[in-house]
Amino acid sequence: MMVTAMNGVVFKLSPSIRAIPNRTFRAMPLASSSAPAALSSDPKLGPGSLGHITRPDFPILHQELNGKRLVYLDNAATSQKPAAVLKALQTYYEAYNSNVHRGIHYLSAKATEEYESARQKVANFINASECREIVFTRNATEAINLVAYSWGLSNLKKGDEIVLTVAEHHSAIVPWQIVAQKTGAVLKFVNLTEDEVPDVQKLRELLSRQTKLVVVHHVSNVLASVLPVDQIVSWAHDVGAKVVIDACQSVPHMAVDVKALDPDFLVASSHKMCGPTGIGFLYGKSELLSAMPPFLGGGEMIADVFLDYSTYADPPSRFEAGTPAIGEAVGLGAAIDYLSAIGMQTIHEYEVELANYLYNRLRSVHGVRLYGPAPSETVNRAALCSFNVEDVHPTDIATFLDQQHSVAVRSGHHCAQPLHRYLGVNASARASLHFYNTKEDVDEFIGALEDTISFFASFK
């Protein structure tokens, strides 16, 4: 069903929405003035805030769509890139584009130097003991698959248990389903508490000598909850289990120290931390990586190749077959430089304030159902909110926000179908922030959402 708004934009409604003929849409004023006074006056979110200071560094944010300023609130899916990262990519391709490791000429040597420098930057960023504990992958999904197929198939057997939560991303579930089918290992899932947080006490109770692996997220991409992964790692190690941490939603937003957390494996993606797409990384303890067989075969990952057998390079080269994503690694290194210059603690503190502001403003909107824990003195939510609006499909919300207000949010199951089924819904809308977002972005989103709800209410 199609509806034409006053500005001439044709809005396509989901089949579940019945359009009333000859209705026109009238834009409503933004609702920023309705923000709670205590929140609106918070100096940390004012004109001199981190969001206002860093926003000029992101060229993509300085544009209008359909005559309105772009408000980008889809950062949990992918972050935007500062000019420094774009420049690093351009410089690589213009000045020293070449393959790494094998060449002796200047361009190859320069490319190798910058590529390996990026690895060292990643190691420093998460406080790894040495850079050889960092394996570059296409993304976090590939990093988890690497662990699953290399470590998992080599170490798991029938009856071994893998413990996860119902809130895991598909990339942290599906590879282990495949491995379990091949090895006879058993998957066990932990549900949520009444506060809609994964039940870590139940997780602790599930651990036993049969538990060989625990796979958990650090920050939920739907619930915005932050798990005490240091405790989970300690409990798992007490029973002899290994731990894989999905840190995709934590590494870009807070200081992550693998020495302090002590995971066996940790994964993250460049594109969520202001770097390019097409590259992520696996952190693995050196003794584990050294004992693992190759994930892919080909060039770069070998020591010697004979007609009937091959010997393999030491990690991380063993797991980086073929020509790597060189430019993307350089861009990731530039992103880490940019984030480090700001300071991850500074980013985290600002985003906690912005997250609380977003949550409280959304909570005040009539008909909105929020998911995950409420913020409190003891609970810090990540800077994202998944929600539904009564009687409106989340895809219709996202489409209307985009077409009528140039507000970008995400709708769907966010690669977390088991979690949505547990919550009793098929999908949700999600607004997610990064440090370059501002209080004004949130206010514009809330005003646009109230306008959207009013529009769909007119069809009842």
Side-chain angles (χ1 to χ4, degrees):
M1 191 70 67
M2 313 298 290
V3 174
T4 302
M6 289 182 63
N7 62 4
V9 174
V10 177
F11 177 67
K12 184 178 181 180
L13 300 174
S14 290
S16 61
I17 303 299
R18 179 174 57 87
I20 299 176
N22 302 320
R23 291 297 291 257
T24 58
F25 164 66
R26 180 175 62 85
M28 296 173 62
L30 296 180
S32 59
S33 60
S34 65
L39 294 172
S40 297
S41 61
D42 190 335
K44 295 179 182 177
L45 302 181
S49 73
L50 181 60
H52 289 91
I53 293 171
T54 58
R55 184 180 182 86
D57 295 337
F58 293 82
I60 198 172
L61 300 179
H62 306 290
Q63 62 177 302
E64 290 186 349
L65 301 176
N66 298 325
K68 295 189 178 182
R69 179 179 76 91
L70 170 65
V71 177
Y72 184 79
L73 304 180
D74 193 20
N75 294 282
T78 198
S79 62
Q80 297 303 342
K81 324 306 175 194
V85 170
L86 304 180
K87 180 62 176 177
L89 285 166
Q90 182 179 8
T91 300
Y92 165 71
Y93 285 110
E94 287 185 348
Y96 58 96
N97 173 43
S98 184
N99 215 327
V100 293
H101 297 142
R102 295 185 294 271
I104 61 172
H105 56 82
Y106 170 80
L107 296 184
S108 181
K110 177 64 174 175
T112 300
E113 178 185 2
E114 295 298 326
Y115 179 75
E116 292 302 333
S117 174
R119 192 191 309 278
Q120 185 64 61
K121 290 175 182 179
V122 173
N124 295 342
F125 194 65
I126 63 171
N127 199 28
S129 296
E130 49 190 336
C131 64
R132 69 190 187 102
E133 293 182 320
I134 304 301
V135 178
F136 284 132
T137 58
R138 286 187 304 132
N139 43 46
T141 298
E142 183 174 88
I144 294 175
N145 275 270
L146 191 164
V147 178
Y149 286 101
S150 181
W151 182 89
L153 291 179
S154 300
N155 290 275
L156 296 173
K157 62 183 186 304
K158 185 175 182 179
D160 287 344
E161 295 175 356
I162 305 170
V163 175
L164 313 92
T165 81
V166 296
E168 299 310 315
H169 191 278
H170 293 167
S171 62
I173 295 177
V174 177
W176 300 108
Q177 290 176 336
I178 296 171
V179 167
Q181 292 166 1
K182 292 179 177 293
T183 63
V186 178
L187 302 181
K188 290 194 170 185
F189 288 91
V190 174
N191 292 328
L192 307 183
T193 66
E194 291 183 356
D195 295 327
E196 295 184 342
V197 175
D199 192 338
V200 294
Q201 292 305 317
K202 182 62 176 179
L203 185 152
R204 186 178 189 180
E205 294 172 7
L206 281 180
L207 299 177
S208 70
R209 288 296 171 183
Q210 282 68 52
T211 308
K212 302 304 177 185
L213 184 69
V214 176
V215 182
V216 290
H217 60 273
H218 194 177
V219 173
S220 171
N221 73 324
V222 175
L223 303 172
S225 52
V226 183
L227 295 187
V229 289
D230 54 342
Q231 295 181 36
I232 294 172
V233 169
S234 178
W235 299 336
H237 287 173
D238 284 345
V239 299
K242 306 300 183 194
V243 180
V244 178
I245 295 178
D246 173 0
C248 287
Q249 300 295 339
S250 61
V251 165
H253 303 282
M254 63 181 71
V256 173
D257 185 334
V258 293
K259 288 181 183 174
L261 299 179
D262 196 32
D264 300 284
F265 304 101
L266 179 143
V267 305
S269 274
S270 163
H271 72 97
K272 296 183 190 294
M273 50 191 293
C274 300
T277 57
I279 189 167
F281 66 86
L282 165 69
Y283 159 80
K285 290 183 175 178
S286 57
E287 63 271 20
L288 291 174
L289 294 178
S290 295
M292 288 163 51
F295 175 50
L296 298 172
E300 286 289 324
M301 49 74 65
I302 51 85
D304 290 295
V305 175
F306 302 91
L307 292 180
D308 52 349
Y309 74 96
S310 297
T311 58
Y312 308 121
D314 292 332
S317 297
R318 181 182 303 173
F319 305 108
E320 295 181 8
T323 298
I326 305 165
E328 289 79 0
V330 171
L332 172 56
I336 288 174
D337 288 340
Y338 182 87
L339 296 174
S340 299
I342 298 171
M344 294 310 297
Q345 186 61 30
T346 299
I347 289 172
H348 178 62
E349 290 174 358
Y350 174 71
E351 288 190 7
V352 167
E353 297 294 329
L354 201 59
N356 291 344
Y357 186 74
L358 171 65
Y359 183 90
N360 284 293
R361 292 234 54 199
L362 262 176
R363 186 174 59 179
S364 70
V365 178
H366 179 71
V368 168
R369 160 69 158 97
L370 283 161
Y371 300 103
S376 68
E377 292 183 0
T378 58
V379 176
N380 285 335
R381 286 178 56 98
L384 65 90
C385 284
S386 298
F387 64 96
N388 271 305
V389 174
E390 185 178 358
D391 297 328
V392 186
H393 195 280
T395 298
D396 290 330
I397 293 171
T399 303
F400 196 87
L401 287 172
D402 172 58
Q403 293 186 2
Q404 298 301 316
H405 295 280
S406 297
V407 175
V409 302
R410 187 153 293 259
S411 65
H413 51 64
H414 316 305
C415 291
Q417 285 183 308
L419 174 59
H420 279 80
R421 290 194 189 98
Y422 182 88
L423 295 169
V425 295
N426 291 324
S428 63
R430 183 183 68 192
S432 53
L433 310 172
H434 217 326
F435 61 87
Y436 45 73
N437 286 119
T438 64
K439 170 181 169 291
E440 288 75 17
D441 289 339
V442 176
D443 291 339
E444 289 192 38
F445 160 59
I446 295 299
L449 179 62
E450 290 176 337
D451 190 11
T452 302
I453 293 172
S454 177
F455 173 78
F456 284 100
S458 69
F459 289 91
K460 291 184 179 179

